[in-house]
Amino acid sequence: MTSDLIFDLLIVMLFISGVSMAAVGWYTRRFVGRVPAAAPFVLLMLCAAAWAFLYILDLLTMSLPLRIFYHNLRFLYLPFISVLELWLVLAYVNRTEWIRRDLAAIVLIIPVLSALLAVTSPFHTFFRYNFSINTAGPVPVLVYSESFFYQIYFLYSFVLLAIAIILLIHETRKRGTLWETSTILLLIALTFPTVLDYFAETTRFPFPGVNPTPALLWIAAILYAIALFRYHFLDIIPIARGRLIEALSKPVLVLDTADRVIDINPAACSLFSLTPAAALGKTIEEIVPDWPDFLSLCREKTTMKKDLVRTRNKEVFHYIGSVEPLLGINGVPEGHLVFLQDITDLKRAQEALREKTEELDQYFSTSLDLFCIADSQGYFRRLNPEWEKTLGYSLGDLEGRRFLDFVHPDDVPATLDAISTLSAQKEVLNFTNRYRHRDGSYRWIEWRSFPKGDRIFAAARDITKRRLAEQQLADHTRFLSTLIDTLPLPLFYKDAGGKYLGCNRPFEEYLGIGRSALIGKTVYDIAPKELADVYFAADLELLKNNGFQTYEAQVRYADGSLHDVIYYKACYLDHRGATGGIIGAFLDITERKRMESALRESEEKYRTIIEEMQDLFYRTDISGKITMLSPSAFTISGYTRDELIGQDVARVYADPHDREKLLTILKEKGSVDSFALDLKVRDGSIRHVTTSSHFYRDADGNVLGVEGVIHDITEQRRAEEALRIANKKLHLMSSITRHDIRNQLMALMAFIELSKDSIDKPEELIGFLKKNQKIAETITRQITFTKDYEDLGLNAPLWQDVNASIDAAVALLPMRNIRVDKEVTGLEVFADPLAEKVFYNLIDNSLRYGGEKMTTIRVTSRVEGPLLVLVYEDDGGGIPEWDKKVIFDKGVGKNTGLGLYLSREILAITGIGIIENGVPGEGARFEMVVPKDGYRFIS
């Protein structure tokens, strides 16, 4: 073969390779953006085409500079061909986790350096250098020397190509898949030029200096074309399988026409408890012989979906199974795809939803409130039966009707505004309007409405009675205002701070000050200081003791004259039951005092006896009406004599049966001495008294009624209770002092005696002295305990903020890094002032014995019926089971053994119980049960 023929044949083959590669790349551009492997494949084809075309230019020129230029220009893309082939294979076999920017940056370091060094090779010897043209062979070729870095580049490129080929070889092991042939074709197409190029670089071909690889790329192009057009290389590639089958959480199987498994995803392997290798090639009946419904589905030749049930280990599972035929290019079935979707949780959720719906329907039907579901167009959609009782219509008459048809005409505009607000998806709270009853009357309805889409969910309540009560209250308020103004007595009312809030007309006239000018002023603004001091002191006393107050004073009238008056005052309560202020009136007694002055001398003796006595003298008639009282009645009952005289005496008995018992004894014996009674006083509290009473008679011996003396023993009772508590404390303190401290002292004396024998033994003596010091410290703690216990019950219980008590305890303790979580904001308990020590003891115990694992202390509360449970817990080591029964006993514990005992005693004063019910190893947990009236929440 002549040199010219060889040269021409080489040029033609290079041209064919370039054109074929460019054509394949141009065709596959349509897959870019849809198939991950398309982009590297297109770039690879274009680089291969460029390689062939530039090789043609290289061979056609005899100019050394131009040949060097074309030679170096090839390296703008040749170093990246191995990277593109690896990218293509990774995308093809779905190893997308390897396709990352950080890895790409590392992989591209050598190719980028190679490209830069090749382009600049005329200026250095780091890549290829010493270029010349060798014309000795059939084809003039460019010869050159190669640097060490070029060898690195060469080996690096073939390592990348080898990785790509190994990945493809591994993929071809998956037999029976739809992409098996296309994978083999891709493997051959990539391996052929790689091996050829390797031998061209490392061995001498028949034509030295000529690389046949770019001239034979048309062979690879044919293989690519077959894979593309015959086997849909970029349509059915492993990426699709990875994304549509492998990544699916639902079990998926691919069966051939003989119902043999040719592919199975991990979810299906997990379901059937086998490996892919064990499943591939087996019939579906061999895999699941005990599931006939599923086998029947797998044998279907058309698209089908059905519900399936499978029982495993006595547990029922529900699935939705579906089968899809897989058609070949000519439409002939090549197998079918089977999907399973586990809907067991959905079935269970549906069952739970059904049960919950039934519960809600039951609640909806039995609630005493009015429940309503309406739409934004104003129609009732669903109502509960309570509507029938409220409006008198049946549910059939109401549901489906416009609710505006039942609204009072005057309330329609406001109702339309509310509907507009709800249509804007905003809730409407505490809206009221009137609805027509079947009898023609109207009912006031209060709403709380919440929109959701075109539906309105509302809870309502019939407040007709409340509205009527409010109207009656308003009428009554107006009536009282008129009545107050028509009363002849000057009347006023002020707040707890002593500022006037209002008065009646006589007050304005007597003092010469208008109501508007009076409001906001104090007694010091309207009266001389000497009189204002009297009023102010009386107000303070009344606010301190509550109840009623009557006293004489003087008032300067508008004309400047001083008048003697009697003040009648009482504290009024606000809506919370707290003292809101004072209401009072005064009676001008100037004239009466002049008359009384004339009678005072004759009445002095009687008044001294009656009015000076601390006990209460009383007299009732035969019907039980009070006819006479001593002034001490106010002190004991809070009522003035004028308020009680003429009233039924049973009014002040806490238990009316006590009066019946008193009368029975009087009828039997004629008199009683120190008969115990409980009286209900004006502020609602109970006073403990004794009475010595007898029947009083007329001259003929007929019983006219009962008279006697009542002695208040309330303070005596309290003193007795305080004495009982004091005795209990003294007994306990005596027990502690006598028993515990005595034991410690005996031990101390024993060690002192032993110390005497160790004078010459310093180490032994020091040991005894340390023990003596420890005993002294124990005695100190016990004495400290007696001091703490001495204060127990000393002061009256009071309302205490739980949050503040915890904070106070925490501030006194070394908390280290222990977090204290409090969920008791606004909670107050009624307890002894030492209640803070309870939290101190609990936290101190946690810090001492919680162990290294403890990180958190948590205090919460919950209401159980009428009681409140206050929970203290930590996440430490907990309390052993054998300690739980004795943990609150005196002397039990590792420190003083008194902390929890003292805590229980402190809480017991106001009826609060405490138990420990934590789980050993998971933390201590104390529950304090507070009685009904022993707690409250404040904002």
Side-chain angles (χ1 to χ4, degrees), residues 835-855:
E836 178 185 314
K837 195 159 188 68
V838 174
F839 291 107
Y840 179 92
N841 288 334
L842 293 176
I843 297 173
D844 183 50
N845 280 351
S846 293
L847 294 174
R848 288 176 183 271
Y849 313 119
E852 295 297 328
K853 67 175 248 181
M854 187 181 77
T855 60

PDB file of all heavy atoms in Angstrom, residues 835-855:
ATOM      1  N   ALA A 835     -43.558  27.852 103.896  1.00  0.00           N
ATOM      2  CA  ALA A 835     -43.697  26.979 102.714  1.00  0.00           C
ATOM      3  C   ALA A 835     -42.499  27.108 101.779  1.00  0.00           C
ATOM      4  O   ALA A 835     -42.169  26.161 101.060  1.00  0.00           O
ATOM      5  CB  ALA A 835     -44.980  27.320 101.976  1.00  0.00           C
ATOM      6  N   GLU A 836     -41.846  28.273 101.781  1.00  0.00           N
ATOM      7  CA  GLU A 836     -40.651  28.429 100.937  1.00  0.00           C
ATOM      8  C   GLU A 836     -39.591  27.387 101.278  1.00  0.00           C
ATOM      9  O   GLU A 836     -38.849  26.907 100.422  1.00  0.00           O
ATOM     10  CB  GLU A 836     -40.101  29.840 101.124  1.00  0.00           C
ATOM     11  CG  GLU A 836     -38.827  30.113 100.348  1.00  0.00           C
ATOM     12  CD  GLU A 836     -38.259  31.482 100.658  1.00  0.00           C
ATOM     13  OE1 GLU A 836     -39.061  32.452 100.659  1.00  0.00           O
ATOM     14  OE2 GLU A 836     -37.054  31.590 100.912  1.00  0.00           O
ATOM     15  N   LYS A 837     -39.544  26.988 102.575  1.00  0.00           N
ATOM     16  CA  LYS A 837     -38.545  26.014 103.004  1.00  0.00           C
ATOM     17  C   LYS A 837     -38.819  24.637 102.411  1.00  0.00           C
ATOM     18  O   LYS A 837     -37.906  23.809 102.282  1.00  0.00           O
ATOM     19  CB  LYS A 837     -38.517  25.958 104.524  1.00  0.00           C
ATOM     20  CG  LYS A 837     -37.278  25.253 105.060  1.00  0.00           C
ATOM     21  CD  LYS A 837     -36.986  25.638 106.491  1.00  0.00           C
ATOM     22  CE  LYS A 837     -35.644  25.090 106.950  1.00  0.00           C
ATOM     23  NZ  LYS A 837     -34.531  25.720 106.265  1.00  0.00           N
ATOM     24  N   VAL A 838     -40.094  24.371 102.046  1.00  0.00           N
ATOM     25  CA  VAL A 838     -40.412  23.089 101.404  1.00  0.00           C
ATOM     26  C   VAL A 838     -39.635  22.974 100.101  1.00  0.00           C
ATOM     27  O   VAL A 838     -38.987  21.955  99.831  1.00  0.00           O
ATOM     28  CB  VAL A 838     -41.927  22.977 101.152  1.00  0.00           C
ATOM     29  CG1 VAL A 838     -42.227  21.711 100.347  1.00  0.00           C
ATOM     30  CG2 VAL A 838     -42.681  22.965 102.475  1.00  0.00           C
ATOM     31  N   PHE A 839     -39.703  24.025  99.263  1.00  0.00           N
ATOM     32  CA  PHE A 839     -38.986  23.992  97.989  1.00  0.00           C
ATOM     33  C   PHE A 839     -37.463  23.998  98.223  1.00  0.00           C
ATOM     34  O   PHE A 839     -36.719  23.348  97.488  1.00  0.00           O
ATOM     35  CB  PHE A 839     -39.392  25.183  97.119  1.00  0.00           C
ATOM     36  CG  PHE A 839     -40.799  25.085  96.623  1.00  0.00           C
ATOM     37  CD1 PHE A 839     -41.795  25.887  97.136  1.00  0.00           C
ATOM     38  CD2 PHE A 839     -41.143  24.163  95.639  1.00  0.00           C
ATOM     39  CE1 PHE A 839     -43.089  25.790  96.683  1.00  0.00           C
ATOM     40  CE2 PHE A 839     -42.435  24.064  95.180  1.00  0.00           C
ATOM     41  CZ  PHE A 839     -43.412  24.873  95.706  1.00  0.00           C
ATOM     42  N   TYR A 840     -37.034  24.706  99.256  1.00  0.00           N
ATOM     43  CA  TYR A 840     -35.604  24.686  99.580  1.00  0.00           C
ATOM     44  C   TYR A 840     -35.146  23.266  99.873  1.00  0.00           C
ATOM     45  O   TYR A 840     -34.120  22.802  99.358  1.00  0.00           O
ATOM     46  CB  TYR A 840     -35.345  25.608 100.778  1.00  0.00           C
ATOM     47  CG  TYR A 840     -33.894  25.643 101.215  1.00  0.00           C
ATOM     48  CD1 TYR A 840     -33.023  26.602 100.708  1.00  0.00           C
ATOM     49  CD2 TYR A 840     -33.397  24.707 102.115  1.00  0.00           C
ATOM     50  CE1 TYR A 840     -31.694  26.628 101.093  1.00  0.00           C
ATOM     51  CE2 TYR A 840     -32.073  24.724 102.496  1.00  0.00           C
ATOM     52  CZ  TYR A 840     -31.222  25.696 101.988  1.00  0.00           C
ATOM     53  OH  TYR A 840     -29.908  25.710 102.364  1.00  0.00           O
ATOM     54  N   ASN A 841     -35.924  22.557 100.727  1.00  0.00           N
ATOM     55  CA  ASN A 841     -35.545  21.181 101.101  1.00  0.00           C
ATOM     56  C   ASN A 841     -35.570  20.250  99.895  1.00  0.00           C
ATOM     57  O   ASN A 841     -34.682  19.408  99.708  1.00  0.00           O
ATOM     58  CB  ASN A 841     -36.494  20.656 102.183  1.00  0.00           C
ATOM     59  CG  ASN A 841     -36.237  21.321 103.526  1.00  0.00           C
ATOM     60  OD1 ASN A 841     -35.139  21.779 103.805  1.00  0.00           O
ATOM     61  ND2 ASN A 841     -37.257  21.410 104.363  1.00  0.00           N
ATOM     62  N   LEU A 842     -36.613  20.385  99.043  1.00  0.00           N
ATOM     63  CA  LEU A 842     -36.719  19.501  97.875  1.00  0.00           C
ATOM     64  C   LEU A 842     -35.546  19.725  96.907  1.00  0.00           C
ATOM     65  O   LEU A 842     -34.926  18.771  96.420  1.00  0.00           O
ATOM     66  CB  LEU A 842     -38.047  19.737  97.163  1.00  0.00           C
ATOM     67  CG  LEU A 842     -39.310  19.316  97.933  1.00  0.00           C
ATOM     68  CD1 LEU A 842     -40.553  19.691  97.166  1.00  0.00           C
ATOM     69  CD2 LEU A 842     -39.303  17.823  98.233  1.00  0.00           C
ATOM     70  N   ILE A 843     -35.234  21.005  96.613  1.00  0.00           N
ATOM     71  CA  ILE A 843     -34.144  21.299  95.684  1.00  0.00           C
ATOM     72  C   ILE A 843     -32.805  20.887  96.301  1.00  0.00           C
ATOM     73  O   ILE A 843     -31.931  20.330  95.620  1.00  0.00           O
ATOM     74  CB  ILE A 843     -34.147  22.792  95.308  1.00  0.00           C
ATOM     75  CG1 ILE A 843     -35.462  23.155  94.577  1.00  0.00           C
ATOM     76  CG2 ILE A 843     -32.960  23.136  94.422  1.00  0.00           C
ATOM     77  CD1 ILE A 843     -35.620  24.633  94.318  1.00  0.00           C
ATOM     78  N   ASP A 844     -32.653  21.138  97.614  1.00  0.00           N
ATOM     79  CA  ASP A 844     -31.412  20.762  98.293  1.00  0.00           C
ATOM     80  C   ASP A 844     -31.196  19.246  98.214  1.00  0.00           C
ATOM     81  O   ASP A 844     -30.091  18.778  97.956  1.00  0.00           O
ATOM     82  CB  ASP A 844     -31.483  21.211  99.756  1.00  0.00           C
ATOM     83  CG  ASP A 844     -30.188  20.913 100.493  1.00  0.00           C
ATOM     84  OD1 ASP A 844     -29.119  21.275  99.979  1.00  0.00           O
ATOM     85  OD2 ASP A 844     -30.232  20.295 101.570  1.00  0.00           O
ATOM     86  N   ASN A 845     -32.261  18.470  98.418  1.00  0.00           N
ATOM     87  CA  ASN A 845     -32.151  17.009  98.306  1.00  0.00           C
ATOM     88  C   ASN A 845     -31.771  16.587  96.892  1.00  0.00           C
ATOM     89  O   ASN A 845     -30.971  15.661  96.680  1.00  0.00           O
ATOM     90  CB  ASN A 845     -33.478  16.351  98.702  1.00  0.00           C
ATOM     91  CG  ASN A 845     -33.627  16.278 100.220  1.00  0.00           C
ATOM     92  OD1 ASN A 845     -32.691  16.565 100.962  1.00  0.00           O
ATOM     93  ND2 ASN A 845     -34.800  15.909 100.705  1.00  0.00           N
ATOM     94  N   SER A 846     -32.382  17.251  95.867  1.00  0.00           N
ATOM     95  CA  SER A 846     -32.035  16.917  94.480  1.00  0.00           C
ATOM     96  C   SER A 846     -30.560  17.188  94.203  1.00  0.00           C
ATOM     97  O   SER A 846     -29.871  16.377  93.569  1.00  0.00           O
ATOM     98  CB  SER A 846     -32.905  17.727  93.518  1.00  0.00           C
ATOM     99  OG  SER A 846     -34.247  17.340  93.606  1.00  0.00           O
ATOM    100  N   LEU A 847     -30.056  18.337  94.692  1.00  0.00           N
ATOM    101  CA  LEU A 847     -28.653  18.688  94.454  1.00  0.00           C
ATOM    102  C   LEU A 847     -27.713  17.716  95.173  1.00  0.00           C
ATOM    103  O   LEU A 847     -26.629  17.392  94.679  1.00  0.00           O
ATOM    104  CB  LEU A 847     -28.391  20.117  94.928  1.00  0.00           C
ATOM    105  CG  LEU A 847     -29.128  21.217  94.148  1.00  0.00           C
ATOM    106  CD1 LEU A 847     -28.901  22.567  94.808  1.00  0.00           C
ATOM    107  CD2 LEU A 847     -28.683  21.253  92.700  1.00  0.00           C
ATOM    108  N   ARG A 848     -28.151  17.256  96.351  1.00  0.00           N
ATOM    109  CA  ARG A 848     -27.282  16.355  97.120  1.00  0.00           C
ATOM    110  C   ARG A 848     -27.272  14.943  96.540  1.00  0.00           C
ATOM    111  O   ARG A 848     -26.236  14.289  96.451  1.00  0.00           O
ATOM    112  CB  ARG A 848     -27.760  16.278  98.585  1.00  0.00           C
ATOM    113  CG  ARG A 848     -27.498  17.549  99.396  1.00  0.00           C
ATOM    114  CD  ARG A 848     -28.088  17.399 100.802  1.00  0.00           C
ATOM    115  NE  ARG A 848     -27.917  18.618 101.586  1.00  0.00           N
ATOM    116  CZ  ARG A 848     -26.854  18.881 102.338  1.00  0.00           C
ATOM    117  NH1 ARG A 848     -25.863  18.020 102.365  1.00  0.00           N
ATOM    118  NH2 ARG A 848     -26.780  19.997 103.030  1.00  0.00           N
ATOM    119  N   TYR A 849     -28.448  14.434  96.169  1.00  0.00           N
ATOM    120  CA  TYR A 849     -28.567  13.010  95.860  1.00  0.00           C
ATOM    121  C   TYR A 849     -28.987  12.731  94.423  1.00  0.00           C
ATOM    122  O   TYR A 849     -29.205  11.576  94.063  1.00  0.00           O
ATOM    123  CB  TYR A 849     -29.571  12.370  96.817  1.00  0.00           C
ATOM    124  CG  TYR A 849     -29.346  12.749  98.254  1.00  0.00           C
ATOM    125  CD1 TYR A 849     -30.323  13.420  98.988  1.00  0.00           C
ATOM    126  CD2 TYR A 849     -28.125  12.471  98.891  1.00  0.00           C
ATOM    127  CE1 TYR A 849     -30.112  13.788 100.306  1.00  0.00           C
ATOM    128  CE2 TYR A 849     -27.910  12.845 100.204  1.00  0.00           C
ATOM    129  CZ  TYR A 849     -28.900  13.503 100.921  1.00  0.00           C
ATOM    130  OH  TYR A 849     -28.676  13.864 102.199  1.00  0.00           O
ATOM    131  N   GLY A 850     -29.146  13.777  93.581  1.00  0.00           N
ATOM    132  CA  GLY A 850     -29.584  13.536  92.204  1.00  0.00           C
ATOM    133  C   GLY A 850     -28.524  12.877  91.349  1.00  0.00           C
ATOM    134  O   GLY A 850     -28.844  12.262  90.339  1.00  0.00           O
ATOM    135  N   GLY A 851     -27.284  13.015  91.729  1.00  0.00           N
ATOM    136  CA  GLY A 851     -26.212  12.374  90.972  1.00  0.00           C
ATOM    137  C   GLY A 851     -25.729  13.227  89.806  1.00  0.00           C
ATOM    138  O   GLY A 851     -26.264  14.302  89.496  1.00  0.00           O
ATOM    139  N   GLU A 852     -24.680  12.743  89.112  1.00  0.00           N
ATOM    140  CA  GLU A 852     -24.067  13.475  88.007  1.00  0.00           C
ATOM    141  C   GLU A 852     -24.989  13.586  86.809  1.00  0.00           C
ATOM    142  O   GLU A 852     -24.892  14.509  86.015  1.00  0.00           O
ATOM    143  CB  GLU A 852     -22.759  12.790  87.591  1.00  0.00           C
ATOM    144  CG  GLU A 852     -21.673  12.812  88.652  1.00  0.00           C
ATOM    145  CD  GLU A 852     -21.241  14.239  88.974  1.00  0.00           C
ATOM    146  OE1 GLU A 852     -21.273  15.085  88.059  1.00  0.00           O
ATOM    147  OE2 GLU A 852     -20.892  14.525  90.141  1.00  0.00           O
ATOM    148  N   LYS A 853     -25.900  12.617  86.624  1.00  0.00           N
ATOM    149  CA  LYS A 853     -26.752  12.647  85.421  1.00  0.00           C
ATOM    150  C   LYS A 853     -27.863  13.690  85.499  1.00  0.00           C
ATOM    151  O   LYS A 853     -28.482  14.003  84.504  1.00  0.00           O
ATOM    152  CB  LYS A 853     -27.389  11.271  85.186  1.00  0.00           C
ATOM    153  CG  LYS A 853     -28.405  10.853  86.238  1.00  0.00           C
ATOM    154  CD  LYS A 853     -29.082   9.538  85.853  1.00  0.00           C
ATOM    155  CE  LYS A 853     -30.525   9.730  85.528  1.00  0.00           C
ATOM    156  NZ  LYS A 853     -31.225   8.527  85.188  1.00  0.00           N
ATOM    157  N   MET A 854     -28.108  14.241  86.698  1.00  0.00           N
ATOM    158  CA  MET A 854     -29.207  15.194  86.835  1.00  0.00           C
ATOM    159  C   MET A 854     -28.858  16.514  86.149  1.00  0.00           C
ATOM    160  O   MET A 854     -27.801  17.084  86.385  1.00  0.00           O
ATOM    161  CB  MET A 854     -29.531  15.440  88.312  1.00  0.00           C
ATOM    162  CG  MET A 854     -30.791  16.292  88.491  1.00  0.00           C
ATOM    163  SD  MET A 854     -31.179  16.628  90.217  1.00  0.00           S
ATOM    164  CE  MET A 854     -29.970  17.891  90.569  1.00  0.00           C
ATOM    165  N   THR A 855     -29.777  16.984  85.305  1.00  0.00           N
ATOM    166  CA  THR A 855     -29.579  18.261  84.599  1.00  0.00           C
ATOM    167  C   THR A 855     -30.740  19.228  84.792  1.00  0.00           C
ATOM    168  O   THR A 855     -30.568  20.417  84.613  1.00  0.00           O
ATOM    169  CB  THR A 855     -29.411  18.020  83.086  1.00  0.00           C
ATOM    170  OG1 THR A 855     -30.599  17.388  82.583  1.00  0.00           O
ATOM    171  CG2 THR A 855     -28.215  17.144  82.796  1.00  0.00           C
TER     172      THR A 855
END
